[in-house]
Amino acid sequence: MHAITIPEPGGPEALVWAEVPDPVPGEGEVLVEVVASAVNRADLLQRQGFYDPPPGTSPYPGLECSGRIAALGPGVSGWSVGDEVCALLAGGGYAEKVVVPAGQLLPVPEGVDLATAAALPEVACTVWSNIFMIAHLRPGETLLVHGGASGIGTMAIQLAKAVGARVAVTAGGPEKLKRCAELGADVLIDYREQDFVEELAKATDGAGADVILDIVGAKYLERNVKALAVNGRLVVIGLQGGVKGELNLGALLAKRAAVMATTLRSRPAEEKAAIVAAVREHVWPLIGGGTVRPVVDRTVPMPEAADGHRALESGGHVGKVLLLAPQA
């Protein structure tokens, strides 16, 4: 088969479409013929040499895919060769074939075509696990999403609105904010022109956000704590603004608030399987019913994955950038 390899870390040009050995499914695994994958920030970091895949997993980038089951490993039940699926991966999605633990498979939701389904697993699992399983967002609460126009952001807006929460977002520029509003965002903050702490305070009569989903990290830490409501929960899932910040514990204590930080890629397989099962139970019906939909900015041929990385790095996208395998 062919896959995107990274012979040497570097810029987008470091991604090389090359012939590699076919993967073989082991106990509890399935082999998927990939139709599409998606570009995620973790892939950019891996390409640059900053984010190695977990030990024992595929060396190729790609944290999600869609495709058809080509073979079943020993001990797999509930799936059949030919089933159309999408999957959460630890890596390997930028390839013609990938091996997936059966617990990380999802059926393609009703009303979503097979290629577009590649836009769903990573964002759905990230958003559901962090906002709902960890931060326990409830109806009537306010959620602040940093990067509202990102793949994660577009999914977070829709899921939070679906459960009856109020959603505030930050994004860069009026066009991105317009797209966030179309997805249901209630409070629109241009981080280039406005201070999100002040704008959120105005929108909530000084109460702040009950839950904040943050992709920035250290740069926003102090202001995120200021923006939290009493009993608020800050969940950090990205470090685009640095890894070290100063935390005012007094401010945290006064608000009886919590700061949590998580990653999805390095979690044990059983934890990922539990998240995938929860997504299938709670999120898939919303997608199948049309309440929540994948947001795809553009598609790029997988051998030209470098163009997909450039698109994500440019910051001009809204939603996901997909990579289409040659046979797709």
Side-chain angles (χ1 to χ4, degrees), residues 71-158:
L72 304 176
V76 174
S77 61
W79 299 98
S80 301
V81 172
D83 284 350
E84 294 190 343
V85 297
C86 53
L88 179 69
L89 309 172
Y94 291 20
E96 292 177 315
K97 299 176 183 178
V98 65
V99 162
V100 187
Q104 292 168 219
L105 288 175
L106 288 156
V108 174
E110 184 178 348
V112 177
D113 69 80
L114 182 55
T116 301
L120 291 169
E122 196 272 343
V123 293
C125 289
T126 296
V127 170
W128 190 262
S129 63
N130 284 287
I131 294 179
F132 298 98
M133 297 174 73
I134 293 174
H136 302 291
L137 181 71
R138 293 181 288 269
E141 290 191 321
T142 297
L143 168 70
L144 171 61
V145 180
H146 290 300
S150 66
I152 293 290
T154 54
M155 177 60 67
I157 293 167
Q158 296 180 82

Side-chain angles (χ1 to χ4, degrees), residues 249-261:
L249 293 175
L252 208 62
L253 283 168
K255 292 185 174 184
R256 303 187 297 280
V259 177
M260 298 161 277

Side-chain angles (χ1 to χ4, degrees), residues 28 30 51 56 63 75 88 91 94-95 106 110 122 142 149 151 159 171 182 193 255 302 315-316 318:
V30 303
Y51 194 12
L63 300 184
L88 179 69
Y94 291 20
L106 288 156
E110 184 178 348
E122 196 272 343
T142 297
L159 286 180
E182 291 169 354
E193 305 290 339
K255 292 185 174 184
M302 190 175 288
V318 174

Side-chain angles (χ1 to χ4, degrees), residues 195-286:
D195 182 278
F196 71 82
V197 179
E198 295 177 0
E199 297 302 318
L200 189 65
K202 293 177 188 175
T204 61
D205 295 325
D210 300 287
V211 175
I212 298 176
L213 186 67
D214 178 48
I215 59 172
V216 178
K219 183 179 177 181
Y220 275 9
L221 180 59
E222 181 181 3
R223 284 192 287 162
N224 275 332
V225 172
K226 288 181 179 178
L228 280 175
V230 173
N231 295 314
R233 293 86 74 195
L234 166 62
V235 187
V236 180
I237 61 168
L239 300 171
Q240 295 179 34
V243 300
K244 293 183 179 181
E246 187 170 298
L247 178 62
N248 184 336
L249 293 175
L252 208 62
L253 283 168
K255 292 185 174 184
R256 303 187 297 280
V259 177
M260 298 161 277
T262 74
T263 62
L264 182 58
R265 185 182 195 181
S266 59
R267 290 190 185 209
E270 58 270 20
E271 290 188 19
K272 290 182 182 178
I275 292 169
V276 167
V279 165
R280 184 170 182 175
E281 178 183 357
H282 298 287
V283 179
W284 252 224
L286 296 173

